[in-house]
Amino acid sequence: MLTNKTAVITGSTSGIGLAYANALAAQGANIVINGLGDAGEIEKTRSGIASEHGVKCSYSPANMLKPDEIASMITDAENEYGSVDILINNAGIQHVAPIEDFPIAKWDAIIAINLSSAFHTIRTAVPGMKKRGWGRIINTASAHALVASPDKAAYVSAKHGIAGLTKTVALEVAQNGVTVNAICPGYVWTPLVEHQIPDTMKARNMTEEQVKRDVLLAAQPTKQFVTVDQVAALAVFLCSDAAASITGSLLPIDGGWTAE
Ligand code: NAD
């Protein structure tokens, strides 16, 4: 149980981040959600987590492009709850283009949101974790932290970068009761993925099943999507005392993708 612990989860208004929020709240942790989206929908999400799990839940609108807002998200949470015990860096965006056409602004945004934001949350949260002698830092990396695909230069670079950040910080805090790990999912069934299907069906004259199996899951030997709940369950385990010796690890949850 994570009663009396507080978790800050970036990019948790949808998809994997929202699953982390619900799974940690189910263990009794207070939750700070963060991310973009419609204000009314976010408030529904926030109040739903609080009432369903009987925990406190607040929302930080910090933009992961802005270092000062990111640092304030952590210090505000420490002031409101007394501590940030669990930090999950999860916010992320994607852009697909060959290197010679890759928009410079997209490169900068992906490096900022998918990598640098984690530097800013971690550097702000670590002093409190060290002082209390307990902490869990989990970075949502990707199979693309371990292997590459063409046309994803910024995403693959950011995810390989977060693998390096994970290992480095793990060494720095190894004797302070703080673990730092990266979860490396393959294709996960999220709204982001779901919304690509109708266009791909039209463009390639395929059925929904063909798009899922032959396009999206071409790299995934199980031919099954990873579910957000499976990813969240791994995060819950990493927060447990049983996982105290797992640190600096890059943990694939990818249906066999990176075994090939
Ligand atoms: P998603 O689009 O459902 O969630 C992304 C979250 O990040 C949203 O809450 C969004 O509001 C937030 N976000 C985006 N830009 C932001 C900004 N500037 N400031 C604050 N928040 C911002 O996508 P998802 O599939 O749940 O992805 C979550 C993480 O998992 C990402 O880091 C992604 O790279 C990683 N991942 C996803 C998959 C997959 O197949 N879905 C696979 C491997 C890794």
Side-chain angles (χ1 to χ4, degrees):
M1 286 297 279
L2 299 171
T3 317
N4 297 325
K5 302 269 194 265
T6 297
V8 174
I9 305 158
T10 73
S12 46
T13 49
S14 82
I16 297 169
L18 182 54
Y20 287 140
N22 274 302
L24 295 180
Q27 297 296 313
N30 295 320
I31 306 290
V32 177
I33 58 168
N34 158 260
L36 312 176
D38 172 76
E41 285 299 315
I42 292 172
E43 174 49 25
K44 247 198 268 170
T45 300
R46 186 207 64 75
S47 60
I49 291 169
S51 61
E52 187 176 334
H53 303 292
V55 298
K56 291 186 194 149
C57 182
S58 48
Y59 167 65
S60 165
N63 188 329
M64 293 300 112
L65 287 164
K66 303 198 170 154
D68 52 337
E69 291 186 19
I70 299 168
S72 297
M73 174 181 67
I74 301 295
T75 50
D76 289 352
E78 286 175 335
N79 290 336
E80 186 173 352
Y81 295 103
S83 60
V84 171
D85 309 287
I86 298 163
L87 167 64
I88 304 191
N89 293 300
N90 174 76
I93 59 167
Q94 173 65 287
H95 187 81
V96 181
I99 189 73
E100 62 271 36
D101 299 330
F102 211 94
I104 294 168
K106 284 287 180 197
W107 170 274
D108 288 343
I110 289 173
I111 298 298
I113 294 169
N114 296 21
L115 175 58
S116 302
S117 72
F119 162 67
H120 295 296
T121 55
I122 292 171
R123 69 178 175 79
T124 314
V126 153
M129 291 181 177
K130 283 169 85 170
K131 202 164 73 190
R132 289 183 298 277
W134 197 93
R136 293 288 187 266
I137 299 173
I138 299 168
N139 300 316
T140 309
S142 167
H144 282 122
L146 304 167
V147 295
S149 297
D151 304 330
K152 295 183 176 175
Y155 189 86
V156 172
S157 300
K159 295 299 186 182
H160 275 65
I162 207 145
L165 179 65
T166 301
K167 293 193 233 179
T168 304
V169 182
L171 298 180
E172 293 182 26
V173 298
Q175 294 178 40
N176 299 102
V178 180
T179 69
V180 189
N181 292 291
I183 294 178
C184 301
Y187 257 111
V188 185
W189 187 250
T190 67
L192 194 92
V193 171
E194 196 177 351
H195 292 152
Q196 297 172 22
I197 288 178
D199 283 347
T200 315
M201 285 169 67
K202 229 187 280 167
R204 302 199 182 201
N205 194 25
M206 285 177 159
T207 65
E208 185 173 335
E209 278 318 304
Q210 285 172 320
V211 170
K212 286 183 185 172
R213 194 190 58 233
D214 300 334
V215 180
L216 296 176
L217 294 177
Q220 208 145 288
T222 54
K223 303 297 173 202
Q224 302 283 325
F225 285 97
V226 180
T227 69
V228 295
D229 291 336
Q230 290 167 345
V231 179
L234 180 53
V236 169
F237 177 68
L238 288 173
C239 291
S240 72
D241 289 337
S245 294
I246 302 176
T247 196
S249 295
L250 313 177
L251 301 160
I253 173 166
D254 65 3
W257 176 348
T258 55
E260 287 197 309

